[in-house]
Amino acid sequence: MQQVHPRILVSNREPRSTTNPYITMLTTALRRTPGVEVVTFSYPAALFGRYDVVHLHWPETILGQGGRRRSGRLVRWGLTALLLVRLTITRTPVVRTMHNVELPADVSGAQRLLLLWFDRLTTHRIVLNDRTECPGPVTTIRHGHYRDWYTGPRSPAIPGRLQYVGLVRRYKGVEGLVEAFRSVADESLTLGIAGAASTSELADTITTLADGDARITVRLGFLPDDDLVAAVTAAELVVLPYRFMHNSGTVLAALSLDRPVLAPDTAVNADLAAEVGPGWIHTFAGDLTSEAIEAALATAREPRAASPDLSAREWDHAGQAHLAVYRAALSRERSAARAAGTPT
């Protein structure tokens, strides 16, 4: 049987310096893979271009590309609705990588309806770990490491340094981290907060909570890769105080830079701890406390391997694994169309 060489419309625009590294590395891996052609997102390409399969990551980013003006948002929502009509009429297979298990909480009613429409059209889901539950067909393709991405100069670890990096959003619990750290009695410990806040109100809250404690350094804004490397490697322990965590690229970023992580006690993190080896993943249950921070730091100081085992997360086979999913989704849709007597 002749192999299908699909043309894939991906939901991200052409990668730039500020693009999520996962997206950039996956786009590069796909473009190195024989037998697949990648088209990055634009509304002209989506509405009028030729493609065989759509691959979504965070579909809400398509809806949010209209800026803050209401007129711009309405235009984008209208264009997205037209895209959904096209996908429905043409029965184009939709593949979705399930980075998050729930719809975003901060979307409008109209956005929610459009996102639910994307969900109904999804014919194959890619999950990043075996714990993600969603309707089938489902394929697990593990999130790759960042060892080849974060290559900037490393800092020597500073004794007692704790660090949070990444986007600052409500569900990530950074406010709770600052409050818990302020209760830490050990004056030799320091805490860094670095990353862009999702709202100015959240930024103001974190800055206010940190005021008056000279041990806390707050840097709220875009964090270039080299600055992220410097911040993470300066830490003895990276602290991710999420109220909810399912998949986290930041955990893998810290591990790729050979730094241990304190993260919520979840089944996914327990699996990751077993995968990478002892001493790298430390967990807390419930709300983060000063006691949990001090206990994790003490444990992180115990002997461990020089680097975590990330051999299961190489990028070499990511392109082929995704191509297999695209072909399966396309073959299944064509078979369904033939059975229904619909031209393909």
Side-chain angles (χ1 to χ4, degrees):
M1 180 182 296
Q2 184 177 4
Q3 286 280 41
V4 178
H5 289 63
R7 182 178 172 92
I8 312 301
L9 175 70
V10 293
S11 61
N12 57 279
R13 294 183 181 271
E14 193 65 27
R16 301 180 298 174
S17 60
T18 56
T19 300
N20 184 317
Y22 171 87
I23 293 297
T24 301
M25 296 179 80
L26 177 58
T27 302
T28 300
L30 288 172
R31 286 175 167 163
R32 288 200 306 254
T33 302
V36 62
E37 183 179 356
V38 174
V39 180
T40 52
F41 188 87
S42 69
Y43 282 105
L47 294 173
F48 307 112
R50 182 184 66 81
Y51 49 86
D52 302 303
V53 177
V54 172
H55 183 183
L56 303 173
H57 287 279
W58 296 274
E60 60 270 20
T61 60
I62 296 175
L63 306 178
Q65 291 169 344
R68 296 183 179 181
R69 295 179 57 183
R70 178 175 173 79
S71 59
R73 293 197 301 271
L74 291 175
V75 168
R76 295 312 191 270
W77 297 353
L79 293 172
T80 302
L82 290 175
L83 168 60
L84 286 161
V85 169
R86 170 181 171 164
L87 299 180
T88 302
I89 293 173
T90 60
R91 299 185 61 161
T92 301
V94 176
V95 172
R96 171 88 180 271
T97 297
M98 304 301 294
H99 296 275
N100 302 316
V101 294
E102 297 179 352
L103 291 175
D106 54 350
V107 295
S108 68
Q111 288 174 301
R112 184 176 181 84
L113 289 174
L114 293 171
L115 292 174
L116 290 172
W117 194 348
F118 274 124
D119 276 352
R120 288 194 297 272
L121 291 179
T122 299
T123 55
H124 199 120
R125 288 170 173 81
I126 295 171
V127 297
L128 303 177
N129 63 72
D130 296 328
R131 301 282 183 172
T132 304
E133 297 182 1
C134 53
V138 177
T139 299
T140 300
I141 304 177
R142 300 197 185 283
H143 192 308
H145 64 68
Y146 292 117
R147 282 177 172 159
D148 302 324
W149 181 266
Y150 292 123
T151 57
R154 298 192 177 198
S155 304
I158 300 171
R161 181 67 168 178
L162 308 172
Q163 182 71 50
Y164 172 89
V165 294
L167 292 175
V168 178
R169 305 183 71 177
R170 289 287 181 189
Y171 79 90
K172 295 189 176 184
V174 179
E175 314 99 290
L177 168 59
V178 175
E179 291 176 322
F181 181 80
R182 292 196 66 145
S183 298
V184 171
D186 189 344
E187 292 294 327
S188 69
L189 303 189
T190 58
L191 171 65
I193 307 290
S198 58
T199 67
S200 57
E201 293 79 10
L202 180 56
D204 290 343
T205 297
I206 291 168
T207 301
T208 300
L209 288 171
D211 281 348
D213 193 329
R215 300 174 300 168
I216 304 175
T217 304
V218 177
R219 174 185 175 181
L220 297 178
F222 172 70
L223 195 64
D225 288 344
D226 284 357
D227 291 354
L228 182 145
V229 171
V232 168
T233 54
E236 274 200 280
L237 180 68
V238 174
V239 183
L240 302 178
Y242 293 26
R243 298 185 179 97
F244 174 82
M245 178 184 286
H246 188 68
N247 296 303
S248 173
T250 308
V251 171
L252 289 172
L255 294 176
S256 298
L257 292 167
D258 301 329
R259 290 298 181 267
V261 179
L262 174 61
D265 184 7
T266 66
V268 173
N269 285 336
D271 290 344
L272 182 60
E275 175 189 333
V276 302
W280 293 104
I281 302 291
H282 308 272
T283 60
F284 66 92
D287 294 331
L288 182 63
T289 64
S290 58
E291 291 80 9
I293 292 173
E294 291 176 297
L297 181 59
T299 307
R301 287 170 168 170
E302 295 175 357
R304 61 175 181 269
S307 297
D309 181 2
L310 299 176
S311 58
R313 297 174 180 272
E314 299 291 347
W315 284 94
D316 291 350
H317 304 299
Q320 287 293 341
H322 280 80
L323 175 56
V325 169
Y326 301 149
R327 284 175 171 163
L330 190 56
S331 175
R332 189 164 49 252
E333 187 56 48
R334 287 177 174 174
S335 296
R338 285 194 296 270
T342 304
T344 58

